[in-house]
Amino acid sequence: MRRGAVVQLVLFGLVAAAFATAVALGFHWLPDPASKQADRIFFLYWLATAISILVFSVVTAVLVYSIIHFRAAPDDHGDGPPIHGNTRLEIVWTLVPTLLVIVIGVASAIVLSRNSDAGTNPLIVNVTAEQFAWQFAYPHQGNVTAAELRLPLNRTVKLVMKSRDVIHSFWVPEFAQKQDVVPGITTTLVITPDRLGTFPVICTELCGLGHALMRSEAIVMQPAAFDAWAKKSSSAVAGGGPAAGKAVFQAQGCGACHTFKAAGATGKVGPDLDNIYKDAQLAGLSVPDFIRQSIVDPNAYVPPGFPKNVMPGNFGSLPKDQLDALINYLVPTSTKTVSP
Ligand code: CUA
């Protein structure tokens, strides 16, 4: 091959590589990673991108060179001479892609295996998914439950996930992993958060009418702040009374959908809880019975103007003391004084 041809091929290849690299690096394609698992996954992404840029620039260089030098003359209507049987070329174009795919495959297998390793002492979080809410329970922190996922920084966490109805999927973009939550089986996900912050928890499986509302937050905290939160939440609930009811109301995120003045909640998705006395009358139940039914079996009676199947039924699985505290908290003060 002539020296000039090699120089031209290299030049075209460099231009193509520079263009592709600018597209890859010039945009903020990925969220900023916030876990060790995300770091590994994004490393794989960039490895595959680098290999793709290499292949793209070789192909582009040969294509552009051929278009310039082997173009048919305007009056040439014949086919070129048939070419077949170049063993050396065939070995090269088989071997190179095989090696590249093996590199990507082996690297992916290593990342997959390391990302599912929870180590010897992970923090266990029981995740329950239900149309259309997430619930997070901490069995080793006094069974504290919350509507948002709180995680201590740099501690490996194992999510143990169950669905109470249909298939949901757990996704935090900054953690880079997705895991389906499937009725009848328990799935797990290992996360080691390495950046403080609040990140969205998103359901990524179309699961019904409220799918788009099935969102929560993952809050990565300093370990000391996490411990303080867990201790405060479990003792607030254990203390009983209105403080316990308010703690459950806030932990379960009721205010995201309901208005309730006593808690400073202004949600508009579900019925206004300050009108609960009226709704109980319409349902023909005493106020406490109506509140209990609405939490445990929300579709039994839905106030006019609100669709069924939006209020999650998973709150019925709250520990009994938490459920009682919540119901007590929601009973309007005026009716409390009327009925003994
Ligand atoms: Cu749950 Cu979409």
Side-chain angles (χ1 to χ4, degrees):
M1 203 166 15
R2 287 181 303 111
R3 186 135 167 260
V6 175
V7 170
Q8 280 190 27
L9 281 169
V10 170
L11 196 71
F12 296 148
L14 286 177
V15 171
F19 172 75
T21 306
V23 172
L25 299 180
F27 298 89
H28 198 239
W29 294 109
L30 299 172
D32 296 327
S35 73
K36 295 208 160 62
Q37 290 75 15
D39 291 340
R40 295 186 194 118
I41 290 169
F42 289 170
F43 164 77
L44 273 186
Y45 176 85
W46 289 115
L47 175 72
T49 304
I51 289 174
S52 304
I53 290 175
L54 183 76
V55 171
F56 173 75
S57 42
V58 170
V59 170
T60 306
V62 174
L63 181 69
V64 171
Y65 183 87
S66 305
I67 287 172
I68 292 173
H69 292 277
F70 305 126
R71 201 165 20 161
D75 56 347
D76 178 1
H77 300 298
D79 283 340
I83 299 168
H84 50 83
N86 186 327
T87 309
R88 192 158 39 136
L89 191 60
E90 284 169 19
I91 288 175
V92 169
W93 80 39
T94 306
L95 218 55
V96 171
T98 305
L99 284 175
L100 293 179
V101 170
I102 287 174
V103 166
I104 296 174
V106 169
S108 303
I110 292 171
V111 166
L112 209 53
S113 135
R114 291 185 65 186
N115 274 6
S116 54
D117 178 11
T120 49
N121 185 29
L123 172 73
I124 301 290
V125 182
N126 291 326
V127 180
T128 308
E130 170 155 10
Q131 292 168 320
F132 300 96
W134 298 98
Q135 190 187 70
F136 304 98
Y138 298 78
H140 302 302
Q141 275 70 29
N143 215 22
V144 167
T145 58
E148 72 284 335
L149 175 62
R150 286 175 189 270
L151 302 172
L153 187 68
N154 289 326
R155 169 100 192 260
T156 297
V157 178
K158 186 175 183 181
L159 304 185
V160 180
M161 306 202 282
K162 287 183 176 160
S163 167
R164 292 169 61 91
D165 40 44
V166 299
I167 301 175
H168 304 272
S169 185
F170 177 93
W171 182 43
V172 173
E174 285 80 1
F175 295 160
Q177 302 152 286
K178 276 184 188 172
Q179 176 60 57
D180 278 6
V181 188
V182 185
I185 63 174
T186 302
T187 52
T188 60
L189 190 64
V190 176
I191 303 169
T192 314
D194 59 2
R195 186 156 66 86
L196 293 173
T198 300
F199 312 109
V201 173
I202 299 169
C203 176
T204 59
E205 188 75 55
L206 183 59
C207 55
L209 196 63
H211 163 68
L213 299 173
M214 193 168 163
R215 285 171 169 246
S216 181
E217 281 177 339
I219 304 167
V220 180
M221 318 167 78
Q222 291 289 1
F226 173 82
D227 291 341
W229 165 79
K231 212 171 152 197
K232 185 167 151 263
S233 306
S234 60
S235 61
V237 169
K246 190 172 184 180
V248 176
F249 185 91
Q250 276 163 349
Q252 299 304 327
C254 308
C257 291
H258 294 285
T259 290
F260 190 52
K261 285 203 194 81
T266 56
K268 295 271 180 270
V269 177
D272 183 338
L273 300 180
D274 291 310
N275 292 334
I276 212 156
Y277 181 71
K278 207 185 71 204
D279 288 331
Q281 277 189 319
L282 284 171
L285 290 170
S286 77
V287 174
D289 285 350
F290 174 63
I291 296 172
R292 183 177 295 275
Q293 173 182 284
S294 299
I295 294 172
V296 176
D297 183 14
N299 288 327
Y301 175 84
V302 179
F306 294 95
K308 284 196 172 197
N309 300 316
V310 174
M311 165 78 179
N314 61 330
F315 304 121
S317 64
L318 281 170
K320 190 183 175 303
D321 54 341
Q322 295 190 31
L323 189 58
D324 291 344
L326 179 62
I327 292 167
N328 232 336
Y329 178 59
L330 293 174
V331 175
T333 324
S334 55
T335 61
K336 265 182 207 165
T337 51
V338 169
S339 57

